[in-house]
Amino acid sequence: MFNSEMPPTMMPVKVNDNAKTVLSKRYYRKDGNGEPIEDATSMFWRVASAIAAEEAKYDKSPFKVEKLAREFFDLMTEFKFLPNSPTLMNAGTDLGQLAACFVLPVGDSMEEIFDGVKHAALIHKSGGGTGFSFSRLRHKDARVGSTGGVASGPLSFLRIFNTATEQVKQGGTRRGANMGILRVDHPDIIEFIRAKERDGDLNNFNLSVALTEKFMQAVEKNEEYDLVAPHSGETKARLKAREVFNMLVQKAWESGDPGIIFLDRINRDNPTPALGEIESTNPCGEQPLLPYEACNLGSINLALVYKDGEDHGIDWKELKRIVHLSVRFLDNVIDASRYPLDRIGEMVRTNRKIGLGVMGWADLLFQLGIPYDSQEALSLAERVMKFVNDESKAASKKLAKERGEFPAYKESTYGQRNLGPYRNATTTTIAPTGTLSIIGACSSGVEPLFALSFARHVMDGEKLVESNPYFKQALIDSGSYSDKLMDEVAQKGSINKIEHLPDDLKRVYVTAMEIEPEWHLKMQAAFQRHTDNAVSKTVNLPNSASKEDIYNIYWMAYEQGCKGVTVYRDGSKSTQVLCTGEGS
Ligand code: CDP
């Protein structure tokens, strides 16, 4: 029997002050008085040993549990890979819910709606986020058969979900996050597009409009399209597609909400259409899922695979090792996780979706001296993500040989094309890594840096101040470093207006607002081409950006094969998660 006690020889894990603050507030287990009863070393051992213990179930495993626990521990404590927050918080605990992403159905009856509210509360309590499509709900003022009355429509129910969320703290530490989706051909679409007009409304929801191929073609041809009652199939009205599209652009310009997703494209990539249609994503948009499906994510820190002298400056051998070990880890997480509903557990074990992604991308580019907004960066993005994706598939195939394929394999699009067998219906997703990147001390996801030196607003109004370590080193190397300069950078966020700095430094150390919107989008598209699920990315725009800029970005996202797009114009919301000295 595997002894999960931490071996006494374990070296204490070092984390920086920001990571320490986040970990002790949210991740460490606490005693009855709310005092942490673990530190980084014991936390990572708890996670590594609980996830490795699943290995014992499989006769053909090439690993002894003890050895694998040590490998997982090293992988995480070297910050080369981190699983999503619920895994770090809950692995090896009584709660044991390890997935970040869930999608729940909202059916067109009181029972189904309030079941949804209850199930969402259970998921939030366990640390997961939920996505819902409200497209099946009959529109406002439609007849309700049982009472002869009229329906209140998707928006009024969405508000109930929002209020319920307000009262339930996620994992006991944060409020729940939700995604609300409505199809563009739902009769209440205009009300939905305007739902977050007032600052603070529906603040526990991200909203996205699900655009269909038919709608996009109508926009292109400047035609009308039908609004269809979901419960009767009746056409209720016709709208000019371009007017609706322009309204979406207008709202995104005003506040960033709602975003858009390309629903038909998401379903074209649905690996298991026989099990149903995908109608929603998780809260941050990177994980489309079937109703009752959940997915656990994990991210590789690309900042740490830089190796001078190697092909393209990347240690490919090490990256391959990390991918294979991470896929094993994430597949074990599925077995180790306890799901809030039996139905979810069954669904997850049928498809066994995992979402391995990357973070630290901007940090890798800094080390390579490649500007984010360059063709070279786009080519490298494709190369790196193709490698991660291909190796994740190879790892999933290997696991299928050891453990069997995912139960829906035969009816899946892989099975139909004889591509597998695979252990997992999807293997790759690029998450925002909002907290993981703090723990891993790297740039988040595939985003450029928001500022070279900045204050992060985290829970309870606290501020964490950070300077990018590669930037600091580059200043030292070029002989430009001084405390005064660092203060100036912290104030301005970027260096392009600091005159005496060398141009090559200014070219490489670019920040989100200085990067032209189309480069943000091109980067998203480059990663999307080699990602099964979707890519979390915000196209950041300066305050001066026009509606035409947003129109162009939306259209480009459509043309370049993205699954959705989120834009944010600086200063268009009263609270921002990230801000420079000047902005706060
Ligand atoms: O870095 P971390 O693992 O905490 O999460 P992330 O990569 O920023 O977000 C990944 C997913 O976790 C989101 O898309 C949500 O599904 C979920 N999440 C959530 O439910 N609540 C939050 N406050 C943050 C993330």
Side-chain angles (χ1 to χ4, degrees):
M1 184 63 197
F2 168 56
N3 176 6
S4 65
E5 285 286 303
M6 188 160 67
T9 53
M10 221 54 126
M11 291 290 283
V13 176
K14 285 203 190 79
V15 291
N16 69 24
D17 286 346
N18 290 341
K20 218 176 267 171
T21 309
V22 172
L23 287 170
S24 60
K25 275 217 165 181
R26 291 195 197 157
Y27 292 69
Y28 295 155
R29 280 199 288 170
K30 311 259 171 33
D31 64 16
N33 300 322
E35 291 301 318
I37 51 167
E38 57 184 11
D39 57 14
T41 317
S42 50
M43 178 194 81
F44 281 117
W45 180 254
R46 164 170 61 73
V47 178
S49 58
I51 304 306
E54 296 300 324
E55 201 73 18
K57 288 207 303 258
Y58 300 110
D59 297 341
K60 287 194 200 151
S61 169
F63 285 95
K64 283 239 173 354
V65 172
E66 282 82 352
K67 181 168 177 286
L68 188 61
R70 273 308 259 263
E71 290 204 27
F72 284 162
F73 180 83
D74 291 345
L75 186 70
M76 289 186 287
T77 58
E78 287 166 7
F79 303 107
K80 289 181 172 167
F81 160 85
L82 289 171
N84 58 207
S85 291
T87 302
L88 291 175
M89 290 169 177
N90 302 332
T93 70
D94 292 341
L95 180 62
Q97 196 297 103
L98 310 182
C101 312
F102 292 78
V103 164
L104 289 170
V106 185
D108 187 34
S109 71
M110 279 298 170
E111 286 81 358
E112 289 168 290
I113 292 168
F114 284 91
D115 275 351
V117 174
K118 173 179 156 191
H119 296 159
L122 293 174
I123 291 169
H124 293 162
K125 247 177 83 177
S126 75
T130 42
F132 316 85
S133 163
F134 290 87
S135 303
R136 271 184 273 161
L137 297 188
R138 71 191 64 195
H139 56 281
K140 196 171 169 179
D141 299 334
R143 286 251 157 253
V144 180
S146 60
T147 59
V150 290
S152 19
L155 259 302
S156 76
F157 290 113
L158 213 155
R159 287 189 196 100
I160 295 176
F161 279 82
N162 187 64
T163 308
T165 302
E166 192 81 26
Q167 309 310 329
V168 184
K169 281 197 168 170
Q170 222 178 6
T173 52
R174 55 187 189 189
R175 251 191 289 131
N178 298 295
M179 171 65 86
I181 304 265
L182 199 70
R183 286 175 64 102
V184 72
D185 52 10
H186 190 284
D188 292 352
I189 192 63
I190 300 297
E191 194 187 350
F192 183 84
I193 293 173
R194 303 182 58 174
K196 292 192 74 164
E197 256 174 3
R198 274 190 319 185
D199 211 9
D201 272 2
L202 294 174
N203 60 348
N204 300 311
F205 267 87
N206 290 326
L207 298 183
S208 275
V209 175
L211 305 183
T212 58
E213 207 60 40
K214 210 168 154 186
F215 172 80
M216 291 306 286
Q217 278 162 18
V219 176
E220 198 163 12
K221 295 186 198 136
N222 199 9
E223 287 174 356
E224 292 189 338
Y225 76 106
D226 293 342
L227 298 189
V228 183
H231 63 302
S232 65
E234 239 179 288
T235 297
K236 298 308 291 179
R238 282 174 70 74
L239 292 178
K240 282 197 172 131
R242 215 171 262 182
E243 279 178 14
V244 174
F245 196 78
N246 284 336
M247 191 172 174
L248 283 168
V249 167
Q250 169 77 25
K251 292 295 145 200
W253 183 86
E254 284 169 12
S255 71
D257 269 305
I260 54 174
I261 62 167
F262 298 113
L263 193 61
D264 294 332
R265 188 169 286 167
I266 284 174
N267 274 296
R268 195 190 56 206
D269 289 350
N270 174 5
T272 56
L275 298 185
E277 219 175 280
I278 294 178
E279 46 180 40
S280 180
T281 69
N282 68 329
C284 303
E286 71 277 13
Q287 188 63 50
L289 291 169
L290 295 168
Y292 290 116
E293 208 173 13
C295 183
N296 71 92
L297 313 176
S299 300
I300 292 175
N301 182 355
L302 291 176
L304 302 179
V305 298
Y306 169 73
K307 196 170 176 189
D308 199 14
E310 296 285 327
D311 177 20
H312 284 76
I314 290 172
D315 188 346
W316 299 100
K317 207 169 139 216
E318 174 62 357
L319 183 56
K320 179 173 171 178
R321 185 190 74 86
I322 297 171
V323 172
H324 281 251
L325 201 53
S326 303
V327 168
R328 182 174 292 274
F329 183 105
L330 295 175
D331 191 61
N332 284 11
V333 167
I334 296 173
D335 294 341
S337 184
R338 273 182 228 125
Y339 296 95
L341 291 174
D342 289 346
R343 186 133 184 216
I344 295 176
E346 284 159 23
M347 198 61 193
V348 171
R349 293 191 177 96
T350 302
N351 276 344
R352 304 193 67 89
K353 282 183 184 167
I354 56 171
L356 179 64
V358 295
M359 55 185 175
W361 170 240
D363 284 344
L364 175 65
L365 292 176
F366 285 162
Q367 293 172 85
L368 292 167
I370 301 175
Y372 189 97
D373 48 348
S374 66
Q375 193 53 48
E376 204 183 349
L378 293 181
S379 311
L380 190 67
E382 291 224 28
R383 201 164 162 191
V384 168
M385 202 55 211
K386 182 173 189 317
F387 184 86
V388 170
N389 197 41
D390 289 352
E391 289 303 330
S392 73
K393 294 278 173 285
S396 185
K397 263 191 176 168
K398 195 157 162 256
L399 287 177
K401 285 209 183 95
E402 280 173 34
R403 310 173 164 189
E405 68 245 26
F406 66 93
Y409 169 73
K410 284 202 178 62
E411 56 195 319
S412 75
T413 52
Y414 302 107
Q416 298 293 313
R417 286 178 292 158
N418 269 327
L419 293 180
Y422 289 105
R423 178 69 173 158
N424 314 90
T426 68
T427 54
T428 44
T429 303
I430 299 183
T433 72
T435 18
L436 292 190
S437 60
I438 301 177
I439 300 170
C442 61
S443 60
S444 52
V446 295
E447 296 287 2
L449 249 62
F450 191 80
L452 294 166
S453 193
F454 61 89
R456 256 184 221 264
H457 289 277
V458 287
M459 55 246 154
D460 309 335
E462 250 180 79
K463 260 192 188 182
L464 300 177
V465 178
E466 285 174 38
S467 285
N468 181 272
Y470 305 101
F471 169 63
K472 198 169 163 185
Q473 191 57 48
L475 287 181
I476 295 171
D477 293 347
S478 70
S480 324
Y481 184 85
S482 73
D483 287 345
K484 190 167 158 279
L485 175 64
M486 291 313 270
D487 280 350
E488 198 180 345
V489 178
Q491 195 56 33
K492 293 200 160 85
S494 92
I495 55 172
N496 73 351
K497 293 202 189 88
I498 302 180
E499 274 176 13
H500 56 88
L501 288 175
D503 284 345
D504 56 342
L505 219 62
K506 289 185 181 171
R507 183 68 192 100
V508 171
Y509 288 91
V510 280
T511 56
M513 279 321 159
E514 295 158 353
I515 293 170
E516 288 294 326
E518 66 173 86
W519 285 100
H520 281 274
L521 205 277
K522 281 182 187 167
M523 191 60 82
Q524 177 180 338
F527 277 100
Q528 182 62 70
R529 282 194 266 283
H530 307 285
T531 302
D532 289 339
N533 295 301
V535 177
S536 166
K537 175 91 189 70
T538 301
V539 176
N540 276 296
L541 300 150
N543 187 267
S544 59
S546 66
K547 281 160 220 159
E548 287 68 37
D549 292 335
I550 294 183
Y551 187 99
N552 292 337
I553 286 299
Y554 274 18
W555 205 256
M556 232 178 117
Y558 175 61
E559 284 177 344
Q560 295 232 354
C562 295
K563 291 193 174 167
V565 60
T566 307
V567 298
Y568 179 70
R569 191 171 62 92
D570 192 32
S572 63
K573 259 185 204 146
S574 60
T575 43
Q576 280 178 235
V577 181
L578 297 168
C579 61
T580 59
E582 280 180 344
S584 59

